[in-house]
Amino acid sequence: QGELSAIDILGMSGQKLLHGSLQEMPEAGLHLAISSVGCETDPRATIVAGKPYNHEVYGRGSHAYGTLEFVGARVLLMQAGDPVMAIDCGNENELQYTASRMDGRVLASA
């Protein structure tokens, strides 16, 4: 058990906005936690690696939110069995990704 890797998520100004932590948990596998600065003990979101290509997503307080499901090159965030967000890879070699609502409205890109 323990932290395998940590990353600071920065805004355009270079200011730290979020903290990411990848941990190996005994009998539970890999967990990716995203936290607000100074609130690392209460992550905003946690993704628990599952098999075979479906991952569980939890919100604050470890409340179940949904799952990430891989459909080809696309990742869908599912809630109560319905897709609510898609993550698409623009250029995998350059790590270009876009997160969109299911109506096509772009939420974020990197």
Side-chain angles (χ1 to χ4, degrees):
Q1 177 177 347
E3 189 170 80
L4 298 175
S5 183
I7 185 171
D8 292 335
I9 301 166
L10 309 177
M12 296 298 289
S13 68
Q15 181 179 357
K16 181 177 175 181
L17 300 176
L18 299 168
H19 175 78
S21 173
L22 182 63
Q23 298 180 354
E24 175 76 39
M25 306 297 274
E27 299 181 25
L30 292 175
H31 287 188
L32 173 63
I34 305 294
S35 309
S36 295
V37 176
C39 298
E40 287 80 4
T41 59
D42 186 20
R44 288 179 170 264
T46 303
I47 301 169
V48 179
K51 295 180 180 138
Y53 305 109
N54 289 339
H55 305 302
E56 297 172 1
V57 179
Y58 297 89
R60 280 199 168 157
S62 298
H63 295 290
Y65 180 82
T67 59
L68 289 177
E69 297 184 10
F70 294 79
V71 180
R74 182 174 241 203
V75 179
L76 296 177
L77 175 59
M78 306 291 287
Q79 185 182 41
D82 295 318
V84 294
M85 184 178 76
I87 302 170
D88 294 294
C89 178
N91 183 330
E92 192 172 322
N93 293 331
E94 294 184 22
L95 299 176
Q96 294 178 346
Y97 295 91
T98 302
S100 305
R101 290 176 23 156
M102 296 315 296
D103 64 7
R105 191 174 94 189
V106 173
L107 299 170
S109 62

